[in-house]
Amino acid sequence: DTGVSQDPRHKITKRGQNVTFRCDPISEHNRLYWYRQTLGQGPEFLTYFQNEAQLEKSRLLSDRFSAERPKGSFSTLEIQRTEQGDSAMYLCASSFAAGGVDTQYFGPGTRLTVL
Amino acid sequence: SQQGEEDPQALSIQEGENATMNCSYKTSINNLQWYRQNSGRGLVHLILIRSNEREKHSGRLRVTLDTSKKSSSLLITASRAADTASYFCATLPKGGGTSYGKLTFGQGTILTVHP
């Protein structure tokens, strides 16, 4: 059994470029989450999917951010026209929500640096 | 925005001592979870306590929950150098709706255990 995987682990880009991150959840998990974490802070919720449906988006997720989860399997998070303020760790988590318990398992994260 | 506040922000102890971290939150919750994060890595789920539970144990971990005070504490007994990490509490909101799966994290407590 493999855990949640994320690719790439590190990404350095120049301001104005587009970047895309991938998350592969634990198989059979029906929920997938994206969080963002800046240095010295706890993770902040960005968005989540139940199967292929995107159920909620944070106000942190500006128009430059888009997430997809085709076929309810892996997910991608794209940031267009990156800004220096987008520099952060982007964390993906998955869970199998049942019976009111929703333990989320996190991937190792993708660290984005925007120069 | 972060709901939780952890106290203390940083804790430094000697190996073998106990470490206690506190978390306060603002809204009604379904459950509260504690996570550990080693430097620059993903989060590891430690323990979950439901809103109708008052205390829970897992190995060297003891978690308490006081819903009347909207607070929780995490006790790590007989600490080890390997326990050095950041510890975060996270709350899952009460009730259904699309916000149900969204975890709200505190800012974390940095624990350093000296050998």
Side-chain angles (χ1 to χ4, degrees):
Chain A
D1 175 41
T2 58
V4 178
S5 61
Q6 292 186 246
D7 183 66
R9 295 289 305 277
H10 302 274
K11 179 70 178 179
I12 300 173
T13 191
K14 293 182 179 178
R15 189 176 53 185
Q17 298 294 305
N18 299 345
V19 294
T20 300
F21 309 141
R22 177 180 170 123
C23 171
D24 287 90
I26 294 171
S27 59
E28 300 177 357
H29 276 191
N30 56 353
R31 286 190 175 178
L32 187 148
Y33 306 81
W34 286 99
Y35 293 84
R36 182 173 71 185
Q37 184 178 26
T38 53
L39 198 63
Q41 302 294 315
E44 293 181 293
F45 171 82
L46 292 179
T47 188
Y48 91 94
F49 295 82
Q50 177 143 322
N51 300 313
E52 65 274 9
Q54 188 173 17
L55 295 189
E56 186 168 349
K57 292 169 60 173
S58 164
R59 283 174 289 180
L60 292 174
L61 218 63
S62 75
D63 292 345
R64 298 183 297 103
F65 288 70
S66 62
E68 295 183 342
R69 192 185 184 197
K71 302 178 183 178
S73 56
F74 70 92
S75 175
T76 57
L77 177 68
E78 181 183 16
I79 309 174
Q80 297 182 326
R81 305 181 303 282
T82 52
E83 301 173 355
Q84 288 184 325
D86 297 331
S87 295
M89 175 80 89
Y90 290 83
L91 295 163
C92 176
S94 71
S95 71
F96 184 78
V101 177
D102 189 16
T103 300
Q104 298 180 24
Y105 296 88
F106 283 77
T110 293
R111 183 170 297 281
L112 173 66
T113 302
V114 181
L115 302 176
Chain B
S1 63
Q2 298 287 331
Q3 167 172 235
E5 292 184 3
E6 272 123 333
D7 171 52
Q9 291 188 333
L11 181 60
S12 182
I13 59 174
Q14 294 296 127
E15 212 167 26
E17 294 180 341
N18 296 342
T20 300
M21 290 160 267
N22 303 296
C23 165
S24 61
Y25 58 91
K26 297 175 184 174
T27 60
S28 296
I29 62 170
N30 176 286
N31 64 62
L32 185 144
Q33 304 176 37
W34 284 90
Y35 285 82
R36 182 185 73 218
Q37 185 176 39
N38 291 90
S39 180
R41 298 189 178 182
L43 286 88
V44 174
H45 184 264
L46 295 176
I47 194 165
L48 179 152
I49 186 165
R50 299 181 194 230
S51 61
N52 61 354
E53 297 175 316
R54 291 297 167 258
E55 188 171 313
K56 202 160 182 181
H57 296 256
S58 176
R60 293 184 297 113
L61 305 179
R62 172 179 169 252
V63 170
T64 62
L65 179 64
D66 186 336
T67 53
S68 67
K69 295 181 179 177
K70 290 185 167 60
S71 68
S72 173
S73 68
L74 171 68
L75 168 67
I76 304 174
T77 60
S79 63
R80 305 166 182 168
D83 295 328
T84 295
S86 293
Y87 290 82
F88 295 92
C89 68
T91 55
L92 195 70
K94 189 174 184 177
T98 58
S99 292
Y100 181 70
K102 167 183 156 184
L103 281 177
T104 301
F105 284 82
Q107 292 187 325
T109 292
I110 300 171
L111 173 65
T112 304
V113 182
H114 300 281

PDB file of all heavy atoms in Angstrom, chain A residues 4-7 22-26 31-36 73-75 89-94 104-110, chain B residues 42-43:
ATOM      1  N   VAL A   4      -0.153   8.803  -0.039  1.00  0.00           N
ATOM      2  CA  VAL A   4      -0.418   9.876  -0.989  1.00  0.00           C
ATOM      3  C   VAL A   4       0.922  10.322  -1.588  1.00  0.00           C
ATOM      4  O   VAL A   4       1.893  10.536  -0.854  1.00  0.00           O
ATOM      5  CB  VAL A   4      -1.103  11.056  -0.287  1.00  0.00           C
ATOM      6  CG1 VAL A   4      -1.332  12.200  -1.269  1.00  0.00           C
ATOM      7  CG2 VAL A   4      -2.416  10.604   0.353  1.00  0.00           C
ATOM      8  N   SER A   5       0.965  10.435  -2.891  1.00  0.00           N
ATOM      9  CA  SER A   5       2.202  10.891  -3.521  1.00  0.00           C
ATOM     10  C   SER A   5       1.958  12.199  -4.261  1.00  0.00           C
ATOM     11  O   SER A   5       0.838  12.453  -4.746  1.00  0.00           O
ATOM     12  CB  SER A   5       2.762   9.836  -4.474  1.00  0.00           C
ATOM     13  OG  SER A   5       1.849   9.553  -5.503  1.00  0.00           O
ATOM     14  N   GLN A   6       2.984  13.013  -4.312  1.00  0.00           N
ATOM     15  CA  GLN A   6       2.884  14.310  -4.981  1.00  0.00           C
ATOM     16  C   GLN A   6       4.098  14.501  -5.879  1.00  0.00           C
ATOM     17  O   GLN A   6       5.210  14.076  -5.544  1.00  0.00           O
ATOM     18  CB  GLN A   6       2.804  15.452  -3.966  1.00  0.00           C
ATOM     19  CG  GLN A   6       1.509  15.440  -3.168  1.00  0.00           C
ATOM     20  CD  GLN A   6       1.364  16.656  -2.277  1.00  0.00           C
ATOM     21  OE1 GLN A   6       1.361  16.543  -1.051  1.00  0.00           O
ATOM     22  NE2 GLN A   6       1.234  17.835  -2.893  1.00  0.00           N
ATOM     23  N   ASP A   7       3.853  15.168  -6.988  1.00  0.00           N
ATOM     24  CA  ASP A   7       4.923  15.380  -7.946  1.00  0.00           C
ATOM     25  C   ASP A   7       4.751  16.743  -8.616  1.00  0.00           C
ATOM     26  O   ASP A   7       3.626  17.084  -9.008  1.00  0.00           O
ATOM     27  CB  ASP A   7       4.882  14.268  -9.013  1.00  0.00           C
ATOM     28  CG  ASP A   7       6.014  14.399 -10.008  1.00  0.00           C
ATOM     29  OD1 ASP A   7       7.179  14.226  -9.586  1.00  0.00           O
ATOM     30  OD2 ASP A   7       5.732  14.697 -11.180  1.00  0.00           O
ATOM     31  N   ARG A  22       0.820  17.594  -9.332  1.00  0.00           N
ATOM     32  CA  ARG A  22      -0.011  16.405  -9.386  1.00  0.00           C
ATOM     33  C   ARG A  22      -0.073  15.741  -8.025  1.00  0.00           C
ATOM     34  O   ARG A  22       0.909  15.718  -7.281  1.00  0.00           O
ATOM     35  CB  ARG A  22       0.542  15.413 -10.418  1.00  0.00           C
ATOM     36  CG  ARG A  22      -0.237  14.102 -10.483  1.00  0.00           C
ATOM     37  CD  ARG A  22       0.317  13.154 -11.490  1.00  0.00           C
ATOM     38  NE  ARG A  22      -0.297  11.842 -11.373  1.00  0.00           N
ATOM     39  CZ  ARG A  22      -0.936  11.219 -12.367  1.00  0.00           C
ATOM     40  NH1 ARG A  22      -1.034  11.801 -13.554  1.00  0.00           N
ATOM     41  NH2 ARG A  22      -1.463  10.027 -12.185  1.00  0.00           N
ATOM     42  N   CYS A  23      -1.215  15.168  -7.725  1.00  0.00           N
ATOM     43  CA  CYS A  23      -1.402  14.412  -6.488  1.00  0.00           C
ATOM     44  C   CYS A  23      -2.060  13.083  -6.812  1.00  0.00           C
ATOM     45  O   CYS A  23      -3.103  13.047  -7.485  1.00  0.00           O
ATOM     46  CB  CYS A  23      -2.273  15.192  -5.512  1.00  0.00           C
ATOM     47  SG  CYS A  23      -2.779  14.230  -4.053  1.00  0.00           S
ATOM     48  N   ASP A  24      -1.482  12.010  -6.332  1.00  0.00           N
ATOM     49  CA  ASP A  24      -2.093  10.686  -6.446  1.00  0.00           C
ATOM     50  C   ASP A  24      -2.534  10.242  -5.061  1.00  0.00           C
ATOM     51  O   ASP A  24      -1.690  10.027  -4.182  1.00  0.00           O
ATOM     52  CB  ASP A  24      -1.107   9.687  -7.049  1.00  0.00           C
ATOM     53  CG  ASP A  24      -0.902   9.916  -8.529  1.00  0.00           C
ATOM     54  OD1 ASP A  24      -0.005  10.689  -8.908  1.00  0.00           O
ATOM     55  OD2 ASP A  24      -1.695   9.345  -9.308  1.00  0.00           O
ATOM     56  N   PRO A  25      -3.823  10.110  -4.845  1.00  0.00           N
ATOM     57  CA  PRO A  25      -4.311   9.759  -3.505  1.00  0.00           C
ATOM     58  C   PRO A  25      -4.129   8.282  -3.217  1.00  0.00           C
ATOM     59  O   PRO A  25      -3.758   7.498  -4.093  1.00  0.00           O
ATOM     60  CB  PRO A  25      -5.794  10.114  -3.597  1.00  0.00           C
ATOM     61  CG  PRO A  25      -6.138   9.849  -5.026  1.00  0.00           C
ATOM     62  CD  PRO A  25      -4.910  10.249  -5.807  1.00  0.00           C
ATOM     63  N   ILE A  26      -4.415   7.909  -1.984  1.00  0.00           N
ATOM     64  CA  ILE A  26      -4.473   6.496  -1.627  1.00  0.00           C
ATOM     65  C   ILE A  26      -5.641   5.893  -2.402  1.00  0.00           C
ATOM     66  O   ILE A  26      -6.735   6.473  -2.469  1.00  0.00           O
ATOM     67  CB  ILE A  26      -4.653   6.338  -0.109  1.00  0.00           C
ATOM     68  CG1 ILE A  26      -3.406   6.856   0.613  1.00  0.00           C
ATOM     69  CG2 ILE A  26      -4.949   4.891   0.265  1.00  0.00           C
ATOM     70  CD1 ILE A  26      -3.549   6.961   2.115  1.00  0.00           C
ATOM     71  N   ARG A  31     -12.199  11.092  -1.221  1.00  0.00           N
ATOM     72  CA  ARG A  31     -12.015  12.535  -1.067  1.00  0.00           C
ATOM     73  C   ARG A  31     -10.549  12.914  -1.262  1.00  0.00           C
ATOM     74  O   ARG A  31      -9.648  12.178  -0.852  1.00  0.00           O
ATOM     75  CB  ARG A  31     -12.484  13.001   0.312  1.00  0.00           C
ATOM     76  CG  ARG A  31     -13.989  13.033   0.446  1.00  0.00           C
ATOM     77  CD  ARG A  31     -14.404  13.710   1.714  1.00  0.00           C
ATOM     78  NE  ARG A  31     -15.859  13.855   1.779  1.00  0.00           N
ATOM     79  CZ  ARG A  31     -16.500  14.376   2.807  1.00  0.00           C
ATOM     80  NH1 ARG A  31     -15.820  14.805   3.855  1.00  0.00           N
ATOM     81  NH2 ARG A  31     -17.807  14.471   2.796  1.00  0.00           N
ATOM     82  N   LEU A  32     -10.358  14.065  -1.863  1.00  0.00           N
ATOM     83  CA  LEU A  32      -9.007  14.580  -2.102  1.00  0.00           C
ATOM     84  C   LEU A  32      -9.002  16.065  -1.786  1.00  0.00           C
ATOM     85  O   LEU A  32      -9.921  16.792  -2.187  1.00  0.00           O
ATOM     86  CB  LEU A  32      -8.592  14.317  -3.553  1.00  0.00           C
ATOM     87  CG  LEU A  32      -7.145  14.643  -3.913  1.00  0.00           C
ATOM     88  CD1 LEU A  32      -6.633  13.691  -5.004  1.00  0.00           C
ATOM     89  CD2 LEU A  32      -6.965  16.091  -4.337  1.00  0.00           C
ATOM     90  N   TYR A  33      -7.979  16.495  -1.072  1.00  0.00           N
ATOM     91  CA  TYR A  33      -7.910  17.873  -0.576  1.00  0.00           C
ATOM     92  C   TYR A  33      -6.597  18.520  -1.016  1.00  0.00           C
ATOM     93  O   TYR A  33      -5.570  17.862  -1.092  1.00  0.00           O
ATOM     94  CB  TYR A  33      -7.936  17.888   0.957  1.00  0.00           C
ATOM     95  CG  TYR A  33      -9.086  17.153   1.571  1.00  0.00           C
ATOM     96  CD1 TYR A  33      -9.063  15.770   1.714  1.00  0.00           C
ATOM     97  CD2 TYR A  33     -10.208  17.838   2.035  1.00  0.00           C
ATOM     98  CE1 TYR A  33     -10.115  15.090   2.290  1.00  0.00           C
ATOM     99  CE2 TYR A  33     -11.267  17.169   2.615  1.00  0.00           C
ATOM    100  CZ  TYR A  33     -11.208  15.797   2.734  1.00  0.00           C
ATOM    101  OH  TYR A  33     -12.260  15.130   3.304  1.00  0.00           O
ATOM    102  N   TRP A  34      -6.653  19.811  -1.200  1.00  0.00           N
ATOM    103  CA  TRP A  34      -5.454  20.619  -1.401  1.00  0.00           C
ATOM    104  C   TRP A  34      -5.391  21.668  -0.291  1.00  0.00           C
ATOM    105  O   TRP A  34      -6.384  22.338   0.013  1.00  0.00           O
ATOM    106  CB  TRP A  34      -5.465  21.319  -2.754  1.00  0.00           C
ATOM    107  CG  TRP A  34      -5.210  20.424  -3.921  1.00  0.00           C
ATOM    108  CD1 TRP A  34      -6.131  19.861  -4.768  1.00  0.00           C
ATOM    109  CD2 TRP A  34      -3.928  19.987  -4.405  1.00  0.00           C
ATOM    110  NE1 TRP A  34      -5.503  19.120  -5.732  1.00  0.00           N
ATOM    111  CE2 TRP A  34      -4.152  19.169  -5.535  1.00  0.00           C
ATOM    112  CE3 TRP A  34      -2.606  20.204  -3.996  1.00  0.00           C
ATOM    113  CZ2 TRP A  34      -3.113  18.582  -6.253  1.00  0.00           C
ATOM    114  CZ3 TRP A  34      -1.581  19.623  -4.708  1.00  0.00           C
ATOM    115  CH2 TRP A  34      -1.842  18.828  -5.820  1.00  0.00           C
ATOM    116  N   TYR A  35      -4.175  21.797   0.278  1.00  0.00           N
ATOM    117  CA  TYR A  35      -3.907  22.807   1.288  1.00  0.00           C
ATOM    118  C   TYR A  35      -2.636  23.562   0.881  1.00  0.00           C
ATOM    119  O   TYR A  35      -1.798  23.046   0.148  1.00  0.00           O
ATOM    120  CB  TYR A  35      -3.664  22.178   2.666  1.00  0.00           C
ATOM    121  CG  TYR A  35      -4.861  21.507   3.285  1.00  0.00           C
ATOM    122  CD1 TYR A  35      -5.206  20.200   2.962  1.00  0.00           C
ATOM    123  CD2 TYR A  35      -5.651  22.183   4.227  1.00  0.00           C
ATOM    124  CE1 TYR A  35      -6.298  19.579   3.549  1.00  0.00           C
ATOM    125  CE2 TYR A  35      -6.739  21.563   4.823  1.00  0.00           C
ATOM    126  CZ  TYR A  35      -7.052  20.271   4.482  1.00  0.00           C
ATOM    127  OH  TYR A  35      -8.130  19.661   5.066  1.00  0.00           O
ATOM    128  N   ARG A  36      -2.492  24.741   1.418  1.00  0.00           N
ATOM    129  CA  ARG A  36      -1.265  25.512   1.210  1.00  0.00           C
ATOM    130  C   ARG A  36      -0.693  25.872   2.571  1.00  0.00           C
ATOM    131  O   ARG A  36      -1.448  26.233   3.491  1.00  0.00           O
ATOM    132  CB  ARG A  36      -1.559  26.796   0.422  1.00  0.00           C
ATOM    133  CG  ARG A  36      -0.323  27.625   0.117  1.00  0.00           C
ATOM    134  CD  ARG A  36      -0.658  28.770  -0.805  1.00  0.00           C
ATOM    135  NE  ARG A  36      -1.447  29.791  -0.154  1.00  0.00           N
ATOM    136  CZ  ARG A  36      -1.950  30.839  -0.783  1.00  0.00           C
ATOM    137  NH1 ARG A  36      -1.761  30.994  -2.081  1.00  0.00           N
ATOM    138  NH2 ARG A  36      -2.648  31.728  -0.109  1.00  0.00           N
ATOM    139  N   SER A  73      -9.773  10.181  -9.733  1.00  0.00           N
ATOM    140  CA  SER A  73      -8.541   9.508  -9.303  1.00  0.00           C
ATOM    141  C   SER A  73      -7.514  10.558  -8.897  1.00  0.00           C
ATOM    142  O   SER A  73      -7.685  11.215  -7.873  1.00  0.00           O
ATOM    143  CB  SER A  73      -8.020   8.597 -10.412  1.00  0.00           C
ATOM    144  OG  SER A  73      -7.837   9.346 -11.613  1.00  0.00           O
ATOM    145  N   PHE A  74      -6.464  10.751  -9.702  1.00  0.00           N
ATOM    146  CA  PHE A  74      -5.453  11.747  -9.358  1.00  0.00           C
ATOM    147  C   PHE A  74      -6.025  13.151  -9.531  1.00  0.00           C
ATOM    148  O   PHE A  74      -7.084  13.341 -10.155  1.00  0.00           O
ATOM    149  CB  PHE A  74      -4.206  11.559 -10.224  1.00  0.00           C
ATOM    150  CG  PHE A  74      -4.416  11.932 -11.661  1.00  0.00           C
ATOM    151  CD1 PHE A  74      -4.138  13.214 -12.117  1.00  0.00           C
ATOM    152  CD2 PHE A  74      -4.908  11.014 -12.577  1.00  0.00           C
ATOM    153  CE1 PHE A  74      -4.338  13.569 -13.448  1.00  0.00           C
ATOM    154  CE2 PHE A  74      -5.117  11.352 -13.897  1.00  0.00           C
ATOM    155  CZ  PHE A  74      -4.836  12.643 -14.335  1.00  0.00           C
ATOM    156  N   SER A  75      -5.314  14.119  -8.995  1.00  0.00           N
ATOM    157  CA  SER A  75      -5.746  15.514  -9.116  1.00  0.00           C
ATOM    158  C   SER A  75      -4.566  16.376  -9.550  1.00  0.00           C
ATOM    159  O   SER A  75      -3.402  16.045  -9.291  1.00  0.00           O
ATOM    160  CB  SER A  75      -6.281  16.028  -7.780  1.00  0.00           C
ATOM    161  OG  SER A  75      -6.599  17.413  -7.845  1.00  0.00           O
ATOM    162  N   MET A  89       4.383  25.693   0.453  1.00  0.00           N
ATOM    163  CA  MET A  89       4.294  24.246   0.308  1.00  0.00           C
ATOM    164  C   MET A  89       2.834  23.932  -0.016  1.00  0.00           C
ATOM    165  O   MET A  89       1.922  24.371   0.687  1.00  0.00           O
ATOM    166  CB  MET A  89       4.688  23.558   1.621  1.00  0.00           C
ATOM    167  CG  MET A  89       4.506  22.054   1.604  1.00  0.00           C
ATOM    168  SD  MET A  89       5.857  21.225   0.772  1.00  0.00           S
ATOM    169  CE  MET A  89       6.956  21.001   2.172  1.00  0.00           C
ATOM    170  N   TYR A  90       2.626  23.168  -1.067  1.00  0.00           N
ATOM    171  CA  TYR A  90       1.272  22.764  -1.459  1.00  0.00           C
ATOM    172  C   TYR A  90       1.095  21.303  -1.082  1.00  0.00           C
ATOM    173  O   TYR A  90       1.813  20.428  -1.567  1.00  0.00           O
ATOM    174  CB  TYR A  90       1.045  23.009  -2.948  1.00  0.00           C
ATOM    175  CG  TYR A  90       0.971  24.496  -3.237  1.00  0.00           C
ATOM    176  CD1 TYR A  90       2.131  25.242  -3.414  1.00  0.00           C
ATOM    177  CD2 TYR A  90      -0.256  25.154  -3.262  1.00  0.00           C
ATOM    178  CE1 TYR A  90       2.065  26.619  -3.613  1.00  0.00           C
ATOM    179  CE2 TYR A  90      -0.322  26.521  -3.476  1.00  0.00           C
ATOM    180  CZ  TYR A  90       0.846  27.246  -3.636  1.00  0.00           C
ATOM    181  OH  TYR A  90       0.777  28.606  -3.831  1.00  0.00           O
ATOM    182  N   LEU A  91       0.160  21.083  -0.189  1.00  0.00           N
ATOM    183  CA  LEU A  91      -0.065  19.751   0.367  1.00  0.00           C
ATOM    184  C   LEU A  91      -1.351  19.155  -0.175  1.00  0.00           C
ATOM    185  O   LEU A  91      -2.365  19.842  -0.287  1.00  0.00           O
ATOM    186  CB  LEU A  91      -0.164  19.832   1.894  1.00  0.00           C
ATOM    187  CG  LEU A  91       1.107  20.269   2.630  1.00  0.00           C
ATOM    188  CD1 LEU A  91       0.770  20.696   4.040  1.00  0.00           C
ATOM    189  CD2 LEU A  91       2.118  19.145   2.649  1.00  0.00           C
ATOM    190  N   CYS A  92      -1.284  17.878  -0.471  1.00  0.00           N
ATOM    191  CA  CYS A  92      -2.456  17.136  -0.897  1.00  0.00           C
ATOM    192  C   CYS A  92      -2.764  16.099   0.172  1.00  0.00           C
ATOM    193  O   CYS A  92      -1.853  15.553   0.811  1.00  0.00           O
ATOM    194  CB  CYS A  92      -2.169  16.460  -2.230  1.00  0.00           C
ATOM    195  SG  CYS A  92      -3.481  15.394  -2.839  1.00  0.00           S
ATOM    196  N   ALA A  93      -4.028  15.839   0.386  1.00  0.00           N
ATOM    197  CA  ALA A  93      -4.445  14.815   1.333  1.00  0.00           C
ATOM    198  C   ALA A  93      -5.613  14.045   0.742  1.00  0.00           C
ATOM    199  O   ALA A  93      -6.336  14.555  -0.122  1.00  0.00           O
ATOM    200  CB  ALA A  93      -4.850  15.445   2.666  1.00  0.00           C
ATOM    201  N   SER A  94      -5.792  12.813   1.197  1.00  0.00           N
ATOM    202  CA  SER A  94      -6.960  12.047   0.771  1.00  0.00           C
ATOM    203  C   SER A  94      -7.573  11.346   1.964  1.00  0.00           C
ATOM    204  O   SER A  94      -6.930  11.159   2.996  1.00  0.00           O
ATOM    205  CB  SER A  94      -6.596  11.048  -0.332  1.00  0.00           C
ATOM    206  OG  SER A  94      -5.806   9.983   0.164  1.00  0.00           O
ATOM    207  N   GLN A 104      -7.706  12.416   7.342  1.00  0.00           N
ATOM    208  CA  GLN A 104      -7.018  12.795   6.110  1.00  0.00           C
ATOM    209  C   GLN A 104      -5.551  12.401   6.191  1.00  0.00           C
ATOM    210  O   GLN A 104      -4.869  12.662   7.187  1.00  0.00           O
ATOM    211  CB  GLN A 104      -7.168  14.296   5.879  1.00  0.00           C
ATOM    212  CG  GLN A 104      -8.633  14.691   5.693  1.00  0.00           C
ATOM    213  CD  GLN A 104      -8.847  16.162   5.464  1.00  0.00           C
ATOM    214  OE1 GLN A 104      -7.957  16.875   5.009  1.00  0.00           O
ATOM    215  NE2 GLN A 104     -10.055  16.632   5.768  1.00  0.00           N
ATOM    216  N   TYR A 105      -5.074  11.778   5.126  1.00  0.00           N
ATOM    217  CA  TYR A 105      -3.692  11.340   5.029  1.00  0.00           C
ATOM    218  C   TYR A 105      -2.978  12.238   4.029  1.00  0.00           C
ATOM    219  O   TYR A 105      -3.424  12.368   2.887  1.00  0.00           O
ATOM    220  CB  TYR A 105      -3.632   9.873   4.603  1.00  0.00           C
ATOM    221  CG  TYR A 105      -4.249   8.961   5.630  1.00  0.00           C
ATOM    222  CD1 TYR A 105      -5.610   8.671   5.598  1.00  0.00           C
ATOM    223  CD2 TYR A 105      -3.484   8.420   6.660  1.00  0.00           C
ATOM    224  CE1 TYR A 105      -6.198   7.862   6.563  1.00  0.00           C
ATOM    225  CE2 TYR A 105      -4.051   7.602   7.623  1.00  0.00           C
ATOM    226  CZ  TYR A 105      -5.411   7.335   7.573  1.00  0.00           C
ATOM    227  OH  TYR A 105      -5.980   6.538   8.533  1.00  0.00           O
ATOM    228  N   PHE A 106      -1.882  12.818   4.469  1.00  0.00           N
ATOM    229  CA  PHE A 106      -1.198  13.829   3.678  1.00  0.00           C
ATOM    230  C   PHE A 106      -0.033  13.259   2.884  1.00  0.00           C
ATOM    231  O   PHE A 106       0.659  12.333   3.331  1.00  0.00           O
ATOM    232  CB  PHE A 106      -0.674  14.946   4.576  1.00  0.00           C
ATOM    233  CG  PHE A 106      -1.744  15.907   5.013  1.00  0.00           C
ATOM    234  CD1 PHE A 106      -2.634  15.568   6.017  1.00  0.00           C
ATOM    235  CD2 PHE A 106      -1.880  17.134   4.396  1.00  0.00           C
ATOM    236  CE1 PHE A 106      -3.643  16.443   6.414  1.00  0.00           C
ATOM    237  CE2 PHE A 106      -2.872  18.027   4.777  1.00  0.00           C
ATOM    238  CZ  PHE A 106      -3.754  17.681   5.792  1.00  0.00           C
ATOM    239  N   GLY A 107       0.188  13.866   1.734  1.00  0.00           N
ATOM    240  CA  GLY A 107       1.370  13.587   0.952  1.00  0.00           C
ATOM    241  C   GLY A 107       2.546  14.414   1.444  1.00  0.00           C
ATOM    242  O   GLY A 107       2.399  15.234   2.363  1.00  0.00           O
ATOM    243  N   PRO A 108       3.714  14.240   0.822  1.00  0.00           N
ATOM    244  CA  PRO A 108       4.920  14.943   1.267  1.00  0.00           C
ATOM    245  C   PRO A 108       4.953  16.414   0.876  1.00  0.00           C
ATOM    246  O   PRO A 108       5.774  17.168   1.387  1.00  0.00           O
ATOM    247  CB  PRO A 108       6.048  14.178   0.576  1.00  0.00           C
ATOM    248  CG  PRO A 108       5.412  13.620  -0.652  1.00  0.00           C
ATOM    249  CD  PRO A 108       4.001  13.295  -0.271  1.00  0.00           C
ATOM    250  N   GLY A 109       4.064  16.810  -0.023  1.00  0.00           N
ATOM    251  CA  GLY A 109       4.012  18.211  -0.411  1.00  0.00           C
ATOM    252  C   GLY A 109       4.883  18.547  -1.610  1.00  0.00           C
ATOM    253  O   GLY A 109       5.833  17.830  -1.935  1.00  0.00           O
ATOM    254  N   THR A 110       4.505  19.629  -2.279  1.00  0.00           N
ATOM    255  CA  THR A 110       5.317  20.223  -3.344  1.00  0.00           C
ATOM    256  C   THR A 110       5.705  21.619  -2.882  1.00  0.00           C
ATOM    257  O   THR A 110       4.829  22.443  -2.611  1.00  0.00           O
ATOM    258  CB  THR A 110       4.532  20.329  -4.665  1.00  0.00           C
ATOM    259  OG1 THR A 110       4.253  19.033  -5.170  1.00  0.00           O
ATOM    260  CG2 THR A 110       5.349  21.113  -5.702  1.00  0.00           C
TER     261      THR A 110
ATOM    262  N   GLY B  42       5.583  16.357   4.903  1.00  0.00           N
ATOM    263  CA  GLY B  42       4.135  16.277   5.018  1.00  0.00           C
ATOM    264  C   GLY B  42       3.700  15.992   6.445  1.00  0.00           C
ATOM    265  O   GLY B  42       4.509  15.746   7.332  1.00  0.00           O
ATOM    266  N   LEU B  43       2.408  16.047   6.670  1.00  0.00           N
ATOM    267  CA  LEU B  43       1.847  15.854   7.998  1.00  0.00           C
ATOM    268  C   LEU B  43       1.507  14.387   8.235  1.00  0.00           C
ATOM    269  O   LEU B  43       1.004  13.706   7.344  1.00  0.00           O
ATOM    270  CB  LEU B  43       0.580  16.692   8.166  1.00  0.00           C
ATOM    271  CG  LEU B  43       0.808  18.188   8.337  1.00  0.00           C
ATOM    272  CD1 LEU B  43       0.874  18.874   7.000  1.00  0.00           C
ATOM    273  CD2 LEU B  43      -0.300  18.796   9.185  1.00  0.00           C
TER     274      LEU B  43
END
